[in-house]
Amino acid sequence: MTQRPAGFTLSDNTVSEYETDVKQLVQALSPLIRKSPKQIESLLSYSPRNNDTHTAANAPILLVHGFFGEGQDYYWWNGMKHHHNVIVSDIGPISSQHDRVCELFYQMVGGTVDYGEEHSQKCGHARYGRTFETPAYAEWSSENPVHTVGYSFGGNTARALQQYLHEQRFPGYDTAADWIFSLTAIAAPLNGSSIVHDLAGLSTSESNSFRALAPGKLLERAFRLYDWMDISLLRNNFYNPYFAHFGKTGRTEADTWSEWLSMLVASVWNTPMENSYDHGLYDMAPGKCSRMNDKMVDAFDCTYYFSFTKTLTKESSWNGIHMPTTATLLSPVGAFLGMHNYDAKSLQTMYPRLDVSTEEKVSAINNGLRRNDCVVPTVLQSHPGLCFTHADQSVEASNYLNGLVGGHEDGTAKCACEHKATLQEHGDDLQTGKWYVTDYNNMDHGTLVMTVFDLSIQKEFFKSLYFKLRTLPMASEDKL
Ligand SMILES: [Zn+2]
Ligand SMILES: [Zn+2]
């Protein structure tokens, strides 16, 4: 999908030096313990590190997939390697943030998914969903936390999961925010994505209605049609939309021809999921995301936060529009987002906190929103609360735009972050309760995850990320 980005080099030599040392050690050990170097490597990388008392090194990595995503190898590739315990999410690909969070929690602890009485009644679906016979991490607790790594909408899901743990929203479980040791968001629409309006046809007026024939909406309908077709071979081995809590949907579940027909209509049109707005597409609308973010803690004091923004476009010097720097499958969308203009009213609906009081401000905001990775404007990816800071933009321009975002209730600015070009540039003296933003250029939304074209850069990324996560100090060590 993408070519190797020219600007991306892994500056952390520590990882490769460490690996060279391990390789030499393995070679030397091989004749002594009568195992092949490959067998020893396998033992070293996959055996649980029970004697390792360092929490960060011992904590499993929980990978949370994005919208339309799923939990198979071909989605994460290298993300599933390079750590001794990687758990892959198995949750609704187009489901709402709430439903995905509930599914993820019960996948981890085991048992039947409980979507909550109030939520299920409001949204017209069953209260209970799938049963996870085997917990993915039965020990999960404050003492045995996890590193969560969320790609795209998975970053939002991971944040919401932590908020629910903090609020103890799962009946019978004494949860806390510190069940999550670190949270990493990769190209996540942490403040939504305007693409929900541009391509999925959500109106920017108050009505909140979707255009029935918008390309993004048609794609979603095609997905529902796939579900209605109910081909078990595909469902069991390739892709399961996990709509069952909304009642009968698949063609094979119909008892009569009329039910068959009505289920077909309900699968592609007027679905209960759509009518209740209980779906992921709506939860990625910037306005909805902003309302959800307002009820969430931006960064808990017990957790390390990393985000990786991706950008494929660059501002053209003569007309202010942003064009993709590389031709990829997604770059036509990048060009579209790179030249888009919103009026003040639309901006206000999408970003209620933005100051759009003058033409000059509206024009500057539009300019700031155009940098994108072909799916999510970069501004929306950094951390909760819009962040216009970017290495490619002057400090004055960033400060001016960040001043229009609005701050915390106590008057402090939401954005106090320093962005770096690599993870290593943030250094080793990291603190909890603070977002560390790394901006990658020349990458579209599909680079690093979901790609089959550039696995070497993906490998470098996950190896260096996991190394960083394993060596994070305990939050309490920080304060000593
Ligand atoms: Zn729901
Ligand atoms: Zn920021």
Side-chain angles (χ1 to χ4, degrees):
M1 192 178 290
T2 49
Q3 292 173 3
R4 186 186 181 87
F8 185 86
T9 49
L10 187 69
S11 67
D12 185 11
N13 294 326
T14 326
V15 180
S16 51
E17 278 169 19
Y18 169 77
E19 282 176 348
T20 311
D21 288 349
V22 170
K23 273 209 167 72
Q24 284 171 354
L25 188 66
V26 163
Q27 293 287 352
L29 276 174
S30 178
L32 293 174
I33 59 172
R34 295 181 188 181
K35 286 194 188 298
S36 73
K38 251 198 154 52
Q39 284 172 314
I40 299 173
E41 274 179 26
S42 163
L43 282 169
L44 282 174
S45 34
Y46 295 109
S47 63
R49 300 178 180 188
N50 288 333
N51 339 336
D52 193 338
T53 52
H54 183 46
T55 306
N58 209 30
I61 283 165
L62 169 61
L63 297 175
V64 191
H65 67 68
F67 195 69
F68 286 137
E70 43 67 67
Q72 303 288 336
D73 306 20
Y74 52 79
Y75 186 86
W76 290 104
W77 297 110
N78 281 287
M80 295 174 68
K81 304 172 186 166
H82 313 298
H83 187 65
H84 71 283
N85 186 0
V86 177
I87 301 165
V88 180
S89 66
D90 185 21
I91 56 178
I94 69 167
S95 295
S96 65
Q97 182 158 289
H98 174 89
D99 291 5
R100 284 163 56 94
V101 165
C102 296
E103 290 164 16
L104 190 52
F105 178 79
Y106 288 97
Q107 183 191 345
M108 292 293 278
V109 301
T112 301
V113 178
D114 181 357
Y115 295 107
E117 190 177 356
E118 193 187 330
H119 170 88
S120 46
Q121 269 178 13
K122 194 174 116 206
C123 299
H125 63 65
R127 174 173 173 179
Y128 297 101
R130 280 182 290 157
T131 298
F132 290 95
E133 304 288 351
T134 314
Y137 191 45
E139 307 91 320
W140 199 22
S141 63
S142 299
E143 290 72 39
N144 297 298
V146 294
H147 298 290
T148 53
V149 176
Y151 165 63
S152 195
F153 190 40
N156 302 31
T157 312
R159 278 199 68 223
L161 172 67
Q162 186 175 32
Q163 185 70 32
Y164 280 35
L165 294 171
H166 168 68
E167 293 175 8
Q168 304 198 319
R169 299 265 296 257
F170 306 105
Y173 289 89
D174 186 19
T175 58
D178 64 3
W179 285 30
I180 294 188
F181 194 90
S182 75
L183 192 152
T184 300
I186 305 167
L190 297 174
N191 301 285
S193 177
S194 45
I195 202 171
V196 178
H197 294 283
D198 298 325
L199 291 183
L202 178 64
S203 161
T204 53
S205 70
E206 294 304 317
S207 66
N208 280 352
S209 59
F210 281 90
R211 275 201 321 276
L213 298 176
K217 204 66 194 161
L218 289 177
L219 193 63
E220 197 199 43
R221 292 194 198 290
F223 195 83
R224 291 176 197 282
L225 190 62
Y226 166 88
D227 180 56
W228 173 82
M229 283 157 52
D230 200 10
I231 298 166
S232 54
L233 185 75
L234 291 176
R235 195 185 276 268
N236 297 336
N237 297 300
F238 177 58
Y239 213 95
N240 191 329
Y242 296 131
F243 290 156
H245 58 300
F246 279 97
K248 285 182 175 183
T249 54
R251 123 198 104 80
T252 52
E253 295 173 71
D255 297 324
T256 62
W257 276 100
S258 65
E259 196 178 8
W260 188 90
L261 197 64
S262 72
M263 277 165 59
L264 172 61
V265 173
S267 290
V268 292
W269 222 262
N270 269 343
T271 61
M273 200 185 213
E274 250 175 314
N275 293 340
S276 62
Y277 284 93
D278 189 30
H279 57 93
L281 208 49
Y282 186 55
D283 285 346
M284 281 187 287
K288 172 78 190 294
C289 227
S290 170
R291 290 194 292 279
M292 292 195 291
N293 280 345
D294 282 348
K295 293 179 190 154
M296 291 163 70
V297 176
D298 288 346
F300 288 94
D301 284 340
C302 51
T303 302
Y304 292 94
Y305 294 89
F306 301 96
S307 86
F308 295 87
T309 77
K310 293 194 272 184
T311 298
L312 192 75
T313 62
K314 206 167 177 58
E315 184 176 1
S316 131
S317 54
W318 52 278
N319 57 4
I321 64 169
H322 283 245
M323 293 304 285
T325 51
T326 313
T328 74
L329 288 174
L330 292 172
S331 47
V333 186
F336 174 75
L337 294 175
M339 58 177 99
H340 211 67
N341 247 332
Y342 303 95
D343 59 24
K345 194 170 178 296
S346 302
L347 286 174
Q348 200 75 95
T349 309
M350 293 192 280
Y351 315 106
R353 289 174 177 278
L354 271 180
D355 176 0
V356 291
S357 54
T358 67
E359 293 261 317
E360 187 205 358
K361 288 173 184 171
V362 169
S363 160
I365 289 165
N366 270 310
N367 199 339
L369 284 169
R370 289 192 192 117
R371 179 176 291 109
N372 72 83
D373 72 353
C374 306
V375 173
V376 185
T378 313
V379 166
L380 306 177
Q381 301 175 29
S382 301
H383 52 74
L386 274 66
C387 173
F388 285 92
T389 305
H390 195 275
D392 279 3
Q393 190 166 255
S394 74
V395 176
E396 293 75 36
S398 298
N399 286 348
Y400 172 73
L401 285 162
N402 285 331
L404 305 177
V405 171
H408 291 285
E409 276 174 9
D410 64 2
T412 54
K414 280 249 177 185
C415 175
C417 58
E418 227 185 303
H419 294 216
K420 304 287 185 189
T422 66
L423 178 60
Q424 288 68 35
E425 282 177 45
H426 291 289
D428 294 324
D429 188 22
L430 300 178
Q431 294 162 21
T432 51
K434 178 181 169 183
W435 283 87
Y436 291 94
V437 184
T438 304
D439 289 327
Y440 286 152
N441 278 332
N442 303 312
M443 287 195 187
D444 75 6
H445 196 69
T447 321
L448 299 181
V449 182
M450 273 183 77
T451 181
V452 289
F453 293 102
D454 212 336
L455 294 178
S456 60
I457 188 171
Q458 185 195 53
K459 185 175 170 184
E460 282 178 46
F461 171 76
F462 279 107
K463 279 174 96 169
S464 81
L465 172 65
Y466 291 174
F467 181 80
K468 179 60 108 186
L469 299 181
R470 276 196 295 268
T471 51
L472 287 170
M474 291 291 289
S476 53
E477 286 172 22
D478 235 6
K479 290 168 193 146
L480 290 174

